[in-house]
Coordinates of all heavy atoms in Angstrom, one line a residue:
M1 N -15.9 12.4 -2.6 CA -16.0 11.0 -2.7 C -17.1 10.7 -3.7 O -18.1 11.3 -3.9 CB -16.4 10.4 -1.3 CG -16.3 8.9 -1.3 SD -16.6 8.2 0.3 CE -15.7 9.4 1.4
A2 N -16.8 9.6 -4.5 CA -17.7 9.2 -5.5 C -18.0 7.7 -5.4 O -17.4 7.0 -4.6 CB -17.1 9.5 -6.9
F3 N -18.8 7.2 -6.3 CA -19.1 5.8 -6.3 C -18.1 5.1 -7.2 O -17.5 5.8 -8.1 CB -20.5 5.5 -6.9 CG -21.6 5.7 -5.9 CD1 -22.1 7.0 -5.6 CD2 -22.1 4.6 -5.1 CE1 -23.1 7.1 -4.6 CE2 -23.0 4.8 -4.2 CZ -23.6 6.1 -3.9
V4 N -17.8 3.9 -7.0 CA -16.8 3.1 -7.8 C -17.5 1.8 -8.2 O -18.2 1.2 -7.5 CB -15.6 2.8 -6.9 CG1 -14.6 1.9 -7.6 CG2 -14.9 4.1 -6.4
I5 N -17.2 1.5 -9.5 CA -17.7 0.2 -10.0 C -16.6 -0.8 -9.9 O -15.4 -0.6 -10.2 CB -18.1 0.4 -11.5 CG1 -19.2 1.4 -11.6 CG2 -18.6 -1.0 -12.1 CD1 -19.7 1.7 -13.0
T6 N -16.9 -2.0 -9.4 CA -15.9 -3.1 -9.1 C -16.1 -4.3 -10.0 O -16.9 -4.3 -11.0 CB -16.1 -3.5 -7.6 OG1 -17.4 -4.0 -7.4 CG2 -15.8 -2.3 -6.7
S7 N -15.3 -5.3 -9.7 CA -15.2 -6.5 -10.6 C -16.4 -7.2 -11.1 O -16.4 -7.7 -12.2 CB -14.3 -7.5 -10.0 OG -14.9 -8.1 -8.8
P8 N -17.5 -7.2 -10.4 CA -18.7 -7.9 -10.9 C -19.2 -7.3 -12.3 O -19.8 -8.0 -13.1 CB -19.8 -7.8 -9.8 CG -19.0 -7.7 -8.6 CD -17.8 -6.9 -9.0
C9 N -18.9 -6.1 -12.5 CA -19.3 -5.4 -13.7 C -18.6 -6.1 -14.9 O -19.1 -6.1 -16.0 CB -19.0 -3.9 -13.7 SG -19.5 -3.0 -15.2
K10 N -17.4 -6.6 -14.7 CA -16.6 -7.2 -15.8 C -17.4 -8.3 -16.5 O -17.3 -8.6 -17.7 CB -15.3 -7.6 -15.4 CG -14.3 -6.5 -15.2 CD -12.9 -7.0 -14.8 CE -11.9 -6.2 -15.6 NZ -10.6 -6.6 -15.4
T11 N -18.1 -9.1 -15.7 CA -18.8 -10.2 -16.2 C -20.2 -9.9 -16.6 O -20.8 -10.7 -17.4 CB -18.8 -11.4 -15.2 OG1 -19.4 -11.0 -14.0 CG2 -17.4 -11.9 -14.9
E12 N -20.7 -8.8 -16.2 CA -22.1 -8.4 -16.5 C -22.2 -7.3 -17.5 O -22.9 -7.4 -18.5 CB -22.8 -8.0 -15.2 CG -24.3 -7.6 -15.4 CD -25.2 -8.8 -15.8 OE1 -24.9 -10.0 -15.5 OE2 -26.2 -8.5 -16.5
K13 N -21.6 -6.2 -17.2 CA -21.6 -5.0 -18.0 C -23.1 -4.7 -18.5 O -23.3 -4.5 -19.7 CB -20.6 -5.1 -19.2 CG -20.2 -3.8 -19.8 CD -19.1 -4.1 -20.8 CE -18.7 -2.8 -21.5 NZ -17.7 -3.1 -22.5
A14 N -24.0 -4.6 -17.6 CA -25.4 -4.5 -18.0 C -25.8 -3.1 -18.5 O -26.5 -3.0 -19.4 CB -26.3 -4.9 -16.8
G15 N -25.3 -2.1 -17.8 CA -25.6 -0.7 -18.3 C -26.8 0.0 -17.7 O -27.0 1.2 -18.1
E16 N -27.5 -0.6 -16.8 CA -28.6 0.1 -16.2 C -28.1 1.4 -15.5 O -28.8 2.4 -15.4 CB -29.4 -0.8 -15.1 CG -30.2 -1.8 -15.8 CD -29.5 -3.1 -15.9 OE1 -28.3 -3.2 -16.1 OE2 -30.2 -4.2 -16.0
C17 N -26.9 1.3 -14.9 CA -26.4 2.5 -14.2 C -26.3 3.7 -15.1 O -26.5 4.8 -14.7 CB -25.0 2.1 -13.7 SG -23.8 1.5 -14.9
V18 N -25.9 3.5 -16.4 CA -25.7 4.6 -17.3 C -27.1 5.2 -17.6 O -27.2 6.5 -17.6 CB -25.1 4.1 -18.7 CG1 -25.1 5.2 -19.7 CG2 -23.8 3.5 -18.4
E19 N -28.1 4.4 -17.7 CA -29.4 4.9 -18.0 C -30.0 5.8 -16.9 O -30.8 6.7 -17.2 CB -30.4 3.8 -18.3 CG -30.0 3.0 -19.5 CD -30.8 1.7 -19.6 OE1 -31.9 1.5 -19.0 OE2 -30.4 0.8 -20.4
V20 N -29.7 5.5 -15.6 CA -30.3 6.3 -14.5 C -29.4 7.4 -14.0 O -29.9 8.3 -13.2 CB -30.6 5.4 -13.3 CG1 -31.6 4.3 -13.8 CG2 -29.4 4.8 -12.7
C21 N -28.2 7.5 -14.4 CA -27.3 8.6 -13.9 C -27.8 10.0 -14.4 O -27.8 10.3 -15.6 CB -25.9 8.4 -14.4 SG -24.7 9.6 -13.8
P22 N -28.1 10.9 -13.4 CA -28.7 12.2 -13.8 C -27.6 13.2 -14.4 O -28.0 14.2 -14.9 CB -29.3 12.7 -12.5 CG -28.5 12.0 -11.5 CD -28.1 10.7 -12.0
V23 N -26.3 12.8 -14.2 CA -25.3 13.8 -14.6 C -24.3 13.1 -15.6 O -23.3 13.7 -16.0 CB -24.4 14.3 -13.4 CG1 -25.3 15.2 -12.5 CG2 -23.8 13.2 -12.6
D24 N -24.7 12.0 -16.2 CA -23.9 11.3 -17.2 C -22.4 11.2 -16.9 O -21.6 11.5 -17.7 CB -24.1 12.1 -18.6 CG -25.5 12.0 -19.1 OD1 -26.2 11.0 -18.9 OD2 -25.9 13.0 -19.7
C25 N -22.2 10.7 -15.7 CA -20.8 10.5 -15.2 C -20.3 9.1 -15.4 O -19.1 8.8 -15.1 CB -20.6 10.9 -13.8 SG -21.4 9.8 -12.6
I26 N -21.1 8.2 -16.0 CA -20.6 6.8 -16.2 C -20.3 6.6 -17.6 O -21.1 6.8 -18.5 CB -21.7 5.8 -15.7 CG1 -22.1 6.1 -14.2 CG2 -21.3 4.4 -15.9 CD1 -23.2 5.3 -13.7
E27 N -19.1 6.1 -17.9 CA -18.7 5.8 -19.2 C -18.3 4.3 -19.4 O -17.8 3.7 -18.5 CB -17.5 6.7 -19.6 CG -17.9 8.2 -19.6 CD -16.7 9.0 -20.2 OE1 -15.9 8.5 -21.0 OE2 -16.7 10.2 -19.8
E28 N -18.5 3.9 -20.6 CA -18.2 2.5 -20.9 C -16.7 2.4 -21.4 O -16.2 3.1 -22.2 CB -19.1 2.0 -22.1 CG -18.9 0.5 -22.4 CD -20.0 0.0 -23.3 OE1 -20.8 0.8 -23.8 OE2 -19.9 -1.2 -23.7
G29 N -16.0 1.4 -20.7 CA -14.7 1.1 -21.1 C -14.7 -0.2 -21.9 O -15.8 -0.8 -22.2
K30 N -13.5 -0.8 -22.2 CA -13.4 -2.0 -22.9 C -14.1 -3.2 -22.2 O -14.8 -3.9 -22.8 CB -12.0 -2.3 -23.2 CG -11.8 -3.6 -24.0 CD -10.3 -3.9 -24.2 CE -10.1 -5.2 -24.8 NZ -8.7 -5.7 -24.7
D31 N -13.9 -3.3 -20.9 CA -14.3 -4.5 -20.2 C -15.5 -4.2 -19.2 O -16.1 -5.1 -18.7 CB -13.2 -5.1 -19.4 CG -12.1 -5.6 -20.3 OD1 -12.4 -6.1 -21.4 OD2 -10.9 -5.5 -19.9
M32 N -15.6 -2.9 -18.8 CA -16.6 -2.6 -17.8 C -17.0 -1.1 -17.9 O -16.4 -0.4 -18.7 CB -16.1 -2.9 -16.4 CG -14.8 -2.2 -16.0 SD -14.1 -2.7 -14.4 CE -15.2 -1.9 -13.3
F33 N -17.8 -0.6 -17.0 CA -18.2 0.8 -16.9 C -17.3 1.4 -15.8 O -16.9 0.8 -14.9 CB -19.7 0.9 -16.6 CG -20.6 0.6 -17.7 CD1 -21.2 -0.7 -17.8 CD2 -20.8 1.5 -18.7 CE1 -22.0 -1.0 -18.9 CE2 -21.6 1.2 -19.8 CZ -22.2 -0.1 -19.9
Y34 N -17.2 2.8 -15.9 CA -16.4 3.6 -15.0 C -17.2 4.8 -14.6 O -17.9 5.4 -15.5 CB -15.1 3.9 -15.6 CG -14.2 2.8 -15.9 CD1 -14.3 2.1 -17.1 CD2 -13.3 2.2 -14.9 CE1 -13.5 1.1 -17.4 CE2 -12.5 1.1 -15.3 CZ -12.6 0.6 -16.5 OH -11.8 -0.5 -16.8
I35 N -17.0 5.3 -13.4 CA -17.7 6.5 -12.9 C -16.6 7.6 -12.7 O -15.7 7.4 -12.0 CB -18.4 6.2 -11.5 CG1 -19.5 5.2 -11.7 CG2 -19.0 7.5 -11.0 CD1 -20.1 4.7 -10.4
D36 N -16.9 8.7 -13.4 CA -16.0 9.9 -13.3 C -16.2 10.5 -11.9 O -17.2 11.1 -11.6 CB -16.3 10.9 -14.4 CG -15.3 12.0 -14.5 OD1 -14.7 12.3 -13.5 OD2 -15.1 12.5 -15.6
P37 N -15.1 10.4 -11.1 CA -15.3 11.0 -9.7 C -15.4 12.5 -9.7 O -15.9 13.0 -8.7 CB -14.0 10.5 -9.0 CG -13.0 10.3 -10.1 CD -13.8 9.9 -11.3
D38 N -15.0 13.2 -10.7 CA -15.1 14.6 -10.8 C -16.5 15.1 -11.1 O -16.9 16.3 -10.9 CB -14.1 15.2 -11.8 CG -12.7 15.0 -11.3 OD1 -12.4 15.0 -10.1 OD2 -11.8 14.9 -12.2
I39 N -17.3 14.2 -11.7 CA -18.7 14.6 -12.2 C -19.7 14.0 -11.2 O -20.8 14.5 -11.0 CB -18.9 14.1 -13.6 CG1 -17.9 14.8 -14.5 CG2 -20.4 14.4 -14.0 CD1 -18.0 14.4 -16.0
C40 N -19.5 12.8 -10.6 CA -20.4 12.1 -9.8 C -20.9 13.0 -8.7 O -20.1 13.7 -8.0 CB -19.7 10.8 -9.2 SG -20.8 9.9 -8.1
I41 N -22.2 13.0 -8.5 CA -22.8 13.8 -7.4 C -23.3 13.0 -6.2 O -24.0 13.4 -5.3 CB -24.0 14.6 -7.9 CG1 -25.1 13.7 -8.5 CG2 -23.6 15.7 -9.0 CD1 -26.4 14.4 -8.9
D42 N -22.8 11.7 -6.2 CA -23.1 10.8 -5.0 C -24.6 10.6 -4.8 O -25.1 10.5 -3.6 CB -22.5 11.3 -3.8 CG -21.0 11.5 -3.9 OD1 -20.4 10.8 -4.7 OD2 -20.4 12.4 -3.2
C43 N -25.4 10.6 -5.8 CA -26.9 10.4 -5.6 C -27.3 9.0 -5.3 O -28.3 8.7 -4.7 CB -27.6 10.9 -6.9 SG -27.4 9.9 -8.3
G44 N -26.5 8.0 -5.8 CA -26.7 6.6 -5.5 C -27.7 5.9 -6.4 O -28.0 4.7 -6.3
A45 N -28.1 6.6 -7.5 CA -29.1 6.0 -8.4 C -28.5 4.8 -9.1 O -29.1 3.8 -9.3 CB -29.5 7.0 -9.5
C46 N -27.2 4.9 -9.4 CA -26.5 3.8 -10.1 C -26.4 2.5 -9.2 O -26.6 1.4 -9.6 CB -25.1 4.2 -10.6 SG -24.0 4.7 -9.2
E47 N -26.1 2.8 -8.0 CA -25.9 1.7 -7.0 C -27.2 0.9 -6.9 O -27.2 -0.4 -6.8 CB -25.5 2.2 -5.7 CG -25.3 1.1 -4.6 CD -24.9 1.7 -3.3 OE1 -25.4 2.8 -2.9 OE2 -24.1 1.0 -2.6
A48 N -28.3 1.6 -6.8 CA -29.6 1.0 -6.6 C -30.1 0.1 -7.8 O -30.8 -0.9 -7.5 CB -30.7 2.1 -6.4
V49 N -29.6 0.4 -9.0 CA -30.1 -0.4 -10.1 C -29.1 -1.5 -10.6 O -29.4 -2.3 -11.5 CB -30.5 0.5 -11.3 CG1 -31.6 1.4 -10.9 CG2 -29.3 1.2 -11.9
C50 N -27.9 -1.5 -10.1 CA -26.9 -2.5 -10.6 C -27.3 -3.9 -10.3 O -27.5 -4.3 -9.1 CB -25.6 -2.2 -9.9 SG -24.2 -3.3 -10.5
P51 N -27.5 -4.7 -11.3 CA -28.0 -6.1 -11.1 C -27.0 -7.0 -10.4 O -27.4 -8.1 -9.9 CB -28.4 -6.5 -12.5 CG -27.5 -5.8 -13.4 CD -27.3 -4.4 -12.7
V52 N -25.7 -6.6 -10.4 CA -24.7 -7.5 -9.8 C -24.1 -6.9 -8.6 O -23.1 -7.4 -8.1 CB -23.7 -7.9 -10.9 CG1 -24.3 -8.8 -12.0 CG2 -23.0 -6.7 -11.5
E53 N -24.6 -5.8 -8.1 CA -24.1 -5.1 -6.9 C -22.6 -4.8 -7.0 O -21.8 -5.1 -6.1 CB -24.4 -6.0 -5.7 CG -25.9 -6.1 -5.5 CD -26.3 -7.0 -4.3 OE1 -25.4 -7.4 -3.5 OE2 -27.5 -7.2 -4.1
A54 N -22.2 -4.2 -8.1 CA -20.8 -3.9 -8.4 C -20.5 -2.5 -8.0 O -19.3 -2.1 -8.0 CB -20.5 -4.1 -9.9
I55 N -21.4 -1.7 -7.5 CA -21.2 -0.3 -7.3 C -21.2 0.0 -5.8 O -22.2 -0.4 -5.1 CB -22.2 0.6 -8.0 CG1 -22.1 0.3 -9.5 CG2 -21.9 2.1 -7.8 CD1 -23.2 0.9 -10.4
Y56 N -20.2 0.7 -5.3 CA -20.0 1.1 -3.9 C -19.6 2.5 -3.8 O -18.9 3.0 -4.6 CB -18.9 0.2 -3.2 CG -19.2 -1.3 -3.2 CD1 -18.9 -2.1 -4.3 CD2 -19.9 -1.8 -2.1 CE1 -19.1 -3.4 -4.2 CE2 -20.1 -3.2 -2.1 CZ -19.7 -4.0 -3.2 OH -20.0 -5.3 -3.1
M57 N -19.9 3.1 -2.6 CA -19.3 4.4 -2.3 C -17.8 4.1 -2.1 O -17.4 3.0 -1.6 CB -19.8 5.0 -1.0 CG -21.2 5.6 -1.1 SD -21.1 7.1 -2.1 CE -20.2 8.2 -1.1
E58 N -16.9 5.0 -2.5 CA -15.5 4.8 -2.4 C -15.0 4.3 -1.1 O -14.2 3.3 -1.0 CB -14.8 6.0 -2.8 CG -13.3 5.9 -2.9 CD -12.6 7.1 -3.4 OE1 -13.2 7.9 -4.1 OE2 -11.4 7.2 -3.1
D59 N -15.5 4.8 0.0 CA -15.1 4.4 1.3 C -15.7 3.1 1.8 O -15.4 2.6 2.9 CB -15.2 5.5 2.4 CG -16.7 5.9 2.6 OD1 -17.6 5.4 1.9 OD2 -16.9 6.6 3.6
E60 N -16.6 2.5 1.0 CA -17.3 1.2 1.3 C -16.9 0.1 0.4 O -17.5 -1.0 0.5 CB -18.8 1.4 1.3 CG -19.3 2.4 2.4 CD -20.7 2.7 2.3 OE1 -21.4 2.1 1.5 OE2 -21.2 3.5 3.2
V61 N -15.9 0.3 -0.5 CA -15.5 -0.7 -1.4 C -14.9 -1.9 -0.6 O -14.0 -1.6 0.2 CB -14.5 -0.2 -2.4 CG1 -13.9 -1.3 -3.3 CG2 -15.1 0.9 -3.3
P62 N -15.3 -3.1 -0.8 CA -14.8 -4.2 -0.1 C -13.2 -4.3 -0.3 O -12.7 -3.9 -1.3 CB -15.4 -5.4 -0.7 CG -16.7 -4.9 -1.3 CD -16.4 -3.5 -1.8
E63 N -12.5 -4.7 0.8 CA -11.1 -4.7 0.7 C -10.5 -5.5 -0.5 O -9.6 -5.0 -1.1 CB -10.6 -5.4 2.0 CG -9.1 -5.3 2.2 CD -8.6 -5.8 3.5 OE1 -9.3 -5.7 4.5 OE2 -7.5 -6.4 3.5
E64 N -11.1 -6.6 -0.9 CA -10.6 -7.3 -2.0 C -10.9 -6.6 -3.3 O -10.4 -7.1 -4.4 CB -11.2 -8.7 -2.0 CG -12.7 -8.8 -2.2 CD -13.6 -8.7 -0.9 OE1 -13.0 -8.4 0.1 OE2 -14.8 -8.9 -1.0
E65 N -11.6 -5.5 -3.3 CA -12.0 -4.8 -4.6 C -11.3 -3.4 -4.6 O -11.6 -2.7 -5.6 CB -13.5 -4.6 -4.7 CG -14.3 -5.9 -4.7 CD -14.2 -6.6 -6.1 OE1 -14.1 -5.9 -7.1 OE2 -14.3 -7.8 -6.2
T66 N -10.5 -3.1 -3.6 CA -9.9 -1.7 -3.6 C -9.1 -1.3 -4.8 O -9.0 -0.1 -5.1 CB -9.1 -1.5 -2.3 OG1 -8.1 -2.4 -2.2 CG2 -10.0 -1.5 -1.1
E67 N -8.6 -2.2 -5.5 CA -7.8 -1.9 -6.7 C -8.6 -1.2 -7.7 O -8.1 -0.4 -8.6 CB -7.2 -3.2 -7.3 CG -8.2 -4.1 -7.9 CD -7.7 -5.4 -8.5 OE1 -7.2 -5.4 -9.6 OE2 -7.7 -6.4 -7.7
Y68 N -9.9 -1.4 -7.7 CA -10.8 -0.8 -8.6 C -11.0 0.8 -8.4 O -11.4 1.5 -9.3 CB -12.2 -1.4 -8.7 CG -12.1 -2.8 -9.4 CD1 -11.7 -3.9 -8.7 CD2 -12.2 -2.8 -10.8 CE1 -11.6 -5.1 -9.4 CE2 -12.1 -4.0 -11.5 CZ -11.7 -5.2 -10.8 OH -11.5 -6.3 -11.4
I69 N -10.7 1.2 -7.2 CA -10.7 2.7 -6.9 C -9.6 3.3 -7.8 O -9.9 4.3 -8.5 CB -10.4 3.0 -5.5 CG1 -11.5 2.4 -4.6 CG2 -10.2 4.5 -5.2 CD1 -11.3 2.4 -3.1
A70 N -8.4 2.8 -7.8 CA -7.3 3.3 -8.7 C -7.6 3.1 -10.2 O -7.3 4.0 -11.0 CB -6.0 2.7 -8.3
L71 N -8.1 1.9 -10.5 CA -8.4 1.7 -11.9 C -9.5 2.7 -12.5 O -9.4 3.1 -13.6 CB -9.0 0.2 -12.1 CG -7.9 -0.9 -11.9 CD1 -8.6 -2.2 -12.0 CD2 -6.9 -0.8 -13.0
N72 N -10.5 3.0 -11.6 CA -11.5 3.9 -12.0 C -10.9 5.3 -12.3 O -11.1 5.9 -13.3 CB -12.5 4.0 -10.9 CG -13.7 4.8 -11.4 OD1 -14.6 4.4 -12.2 ND2 -13.8 6.0 -10.9
R73 N -10.0 5.8 -11.4 CA -9.4 7.1 -11.5 C -8.5 7.1 -12.8 O -8.5 8.1 -13.5 CB -8.6 7.5 -10.3 CG -9.5 7.8 -9.1 CD -8.7 8.4 -8.0 NE -9.6 8.5 -6.8 CZ -10.5 9.4 -6.6 NH1 -10.7 10.3 -7.5 NH2 -11.2 9.5 -5.5
K74 N -7.7 6.0 -12.9 CA -6.8 5.9 -14.1 C -7.6 6.0 -15.4 O -7.1 6.6 -16.4 CB -6.0 4.7 -14.0 CG -4.9 4.6 -15.0 CD -4.0 3.4 -14.7 CE -2.9 3.1 -15.8 NZ -2.6 4.1 -16.7
F75 N -8.7 5.4 -15.5 CA -9.5 5.4 -16.7 C -9.7 6.8 -17.2 O -9.6 7.2 -18.3 CB -10.8 4.7 -16.5 CG -11.7 4.7 -17.7 CD1 -11.5 3.8 -18.7 CD2 -12.8 5.6 -17.8 CE1 -12.4 3.8 -19.9 CE2 -13.6 5.7 -18.9 CZ -13.4 4.8 -19.9
F76 N -10.1 7.7 -16.2 CA -10.4 9.1 -16.6 C -9.1 10.0 -16.8 O -9.1 10.9 -17.5 CB -11.3 9.7 -15.6 CG -12.7 9.1 -15.7 CD1 -13.1 8.1 -14.9 CD2 -13.5 9.5 -16.8 CE1 -14.3 7.5 -15.0 CE2 -14.8 8.9 -16.9 CZ -15.2 7.9 -16.0
E77 N -8.0 9.6 -16.1 CA -6.8 10.3 -16.2 C -6.1 10.1 -17.6 O -5.5 10.9 -18.1 CB -5.8 9.9 -15.1 CG -6.2 10.5 -13.8 CD -5.4 9.9 -12.6 OE1 -4.4 9.1 -12.9 OE2 -5.6 10.2 -11.5
D78 N -6.3 8.9 -18.1 CA -5.6 8.5 -19.3 C -6.3 8.9 -20.6 O -5.9 8.7 -21.7 CB -5.5 6.9 -19.4 CG -4.5 6.4 -18.4 OD1 -3.7 7.2 -17.8 OD2 -4.4 5.2 -18.2
R79 N -7.4 9.6 -20.4 CA -8.2 10.1 -21.6 C -7.7 11.4 -22.2 O -7.0 12.1 -21.8 CB -9.7 10.2 -21.3 CG -10.2 8.9 -20.9 CD -11.7 8.9 -20.4 NE -12.2 10.2 -20.2 CZ -13.3 10.6 -20.7 NH1 -14.0 9.8 -21.4 NH2 -13.8 11.8 -20.5

């Protein structure tokens, strides 16, 4: 299980998460950031610094944001 970035990132795209990630698993997309689930070590550093609270553990993503789980995976599959 990994962390997932959800819709609030689309309007903010601040980037603090990238700076604190110890394994460089967060990449910038066109509209938002994405977390590579194969690299993420579930440390939670990104979640703690997100200014818009857009980052959740995959099993804690709010129901209205669950589409971002698939969008996150697709971002890394399409590369």
Side-chain angles (χ1 to χ4, degrees):
M1 188 173 320
F3 281 85
V4 175
I5 300 176
T6 60
S7 67
C9 183
K10 286 185 136 182
T11 57
E12 179 68 27
K13 203 175 176 186
E16 286 93 332
C17 56
V18 176
E19 296 171 16
V20 300
C21 180
V23 294
D24 296 325
C25 71
I26 303 172
E27 294 189 25
E28 186 172 359
K30 180 182 172 194
D31 298 325
M32 59 184 283
F33 288 98
Y34 297 89
I35 298 174
D36 189 330
D38 294 329
I39 299 174
C40 180
I41 59 170
D42 304 331
C43 70
C46 59
E47 180 183 34
V49 299
C50 182
V52 293
E53 299 179 3
I55 304 174
Y56 297 88
M57 282 294 293
E58 185 174 336
D59 65 349
E60 296 176 0
V61 172
E63 187 174 329
E64 65 274 8
E65 298 282 329
T66 57
E67 68 184 278
Y68 285 89
I69 297 170
L71 288 172
N72 189 76
R73 290 190 188 282
K74 185 171 176 18
F75 177 82
F76 291 99
E77 289 171 359
D78 290 348
R79 298 176 349 130

